Amino acid sequence: MSLPMVKQVIDAYFEILDEEKSERADIQFFGGEPFYSPEVVYFSVVYARRKAEERAMDIHFEVTTNGIFSADVAAWVADHFDAVILSLDGPMDIQESQRPARNGKPVFPIVYNNAKIISSGSADLILRSCISQKTARRIMEITAWIVEEFHPKAVCFESVHPTGQSKKAGLFPPGPVEFARQFHASARILEAHGIAAVHSTTDVSICRTTICPVGRNALIISPDGAVDACYLPEKAWRDAGLEFRLGKVRAGKFDINENVLQGIRRLANGDKPSCVNCLCRYHCAGGCHVRQNGNRSIGRYDNTCMQTRLVTITNLLRRLNENDLATEWLTDEAAMARFACQSSDHISEMA
Amino acid sequence: MNDESQLRQTTPSVRLHTTRNLYWVRDANFTLVIEEEKDVTKRLEGDAAALWGWLSMGLSLSQCVRLLSAMNNMPSAEAASEINQHLRAWQEAGLLEDGSQTQ
């Protein structure tokens, strides 16, 4: 994205905030990797903060990054951002096998060092560990390592999303049962250290109608000035038959298609057909609109849904302080399988 | 005169670096720079704070010129001149030293 485009986008955003008499601005950087265009980040943060200052407005900056940058940049990030979501899958062997650098050189030492720097700064550090079949059994080891090495606000465990590239690299999603068991045990360790354990679709502390920016009126701006509702590549949502192109940045303003916007709001607020009998829908909100086809028949769950169902149950039990019950249930594979596949959670329909 | 010709160097290069006992802390709207030994404290705001942040990351002068120029809608030569003024002020305040004199 060019600097003039960045400026147009930020100006247009503040114009909306002014119209809405908003007292807070939120700017998030993600990609790809935002620091592949570092000047865009360096410029945006200073320029937007200046605009917020002029209005005595709070501003919140968040970045999702692979952490591959210099220690000086890490210190700047720690000072200038409120939240940093850093992809760190685990100790060296895990990180290097799941996220090898294109040039074959080890990147773990860089990411580790930068995580340390950010961890000691004022920004909230959120570590995001991508879990594959190979690493599912090591979630507790990953957790213990993180607790020992860093001071994150939260640790987010997410399953590998299968793509052509991940399959080629031998990375497949973990089994739902193994993941649920390991997540529960890890969450207990993290929570004992005051660190939140996050799994994006199973946050039982809130009820949601969407788990992502779609439907939240977020404006996701691409380098060419396209304004989308979803951060996935255009091809991904188009292939899923969805229209997430909200409009374009034109002459310093967001030119938004109202019909598309309303359609997206309706999509995010409606139950997916396969979710109507599932108790998790209040928290997972049907998951990703693009990747999870909610138009399956009622009560038919894929592996992602099953994982969500199992983790949701253990999260609910933990929230009720029923840790022993959760642990006991997690040892009963038959019970877990039964619940994971149960087509309806309505009490009246349970056997 | 276009920006390129305005940026042509007319004086010798000077390598500036921070002094040994220099610390800085970033707050929401300003950066506080402290030279412990000389007992100098400087509060940087606006362009000065932005420039300090960019330089502390190792950005080159030309990158800083580009960023400041875009920030303030000013020609590159003007941005370069403003940057030089800040650098001179920091040097005079004892926050920066001429690298050639301390090697």
Side-chain angles (χ1 to χ4, degrees), chain B residues 4-5 7 12-13 19 21 45 48 57-58 63 65 69 86 94 99 103:
Chain B
E4 283 290 309
S5 61
L7 278 174
S13 296
T19 59
N21 300 296
E45 293 177 31
M57 279 190 288
Q63 282 178 300
V65 166
S69 164
H86 287 302
Q103 291 297 307

Side-chain angles (χ1 to χ4, degrees), chain B residues 19-74:
Chain B
T19 59
R20 194 182 294 266
N21 300 296
L22 193 90
Y23 304 92
W24 64 92
V25 60
R26 166 85 200 162
D27 206 332
N29 300 331
F30 62 89
T31 301
L32 201 61
V33 186
I34 301 153
E35 215 297 339
E36 212 172 26
E37 202 174 276
K38 296 172 188 157
D39 201 20
V40 174
T41 304
K42 223 167 164 49
R43 182 185 160 114
L44 308 180
E45 293 177 31
D47 289 350
L51 180 62
W52 189 274
W54 294 332
L55 290 170
S56 69
M57 279 190 288
L59 264 61
S60 68
L61 187 61
S62 62
Q63 282 178 300
C64 292
V65 166
R66 195 160 52 241
L67 291 172
L68 194 64
S69 164
M71 186 84 58
N72 296 333
N73 285 330
M74 55 168 59

Side-chain angles (χ1 to χ4, degrees), chain A residues 19-52:
Chain A
E19 281 167 16
E20 302 284 323
K21 297 189 177 13
S22 178
E23 293 178 349
R24 179 182 152 124
D26 260 300
I27 297 184
Q28 300 180 15
F29 299 85
F30 45 80
E33 168 53 46
F35 285 94
Y36 284 163
S37 297
E39 281 192 9
V40 169
V41 182
Y42 306 154
F43 178 83
S44 307
V45 168
V46 174
Y47 184 67
R49 191 178 291 284
R50 186 171 296 185
K51 297 207 66 130

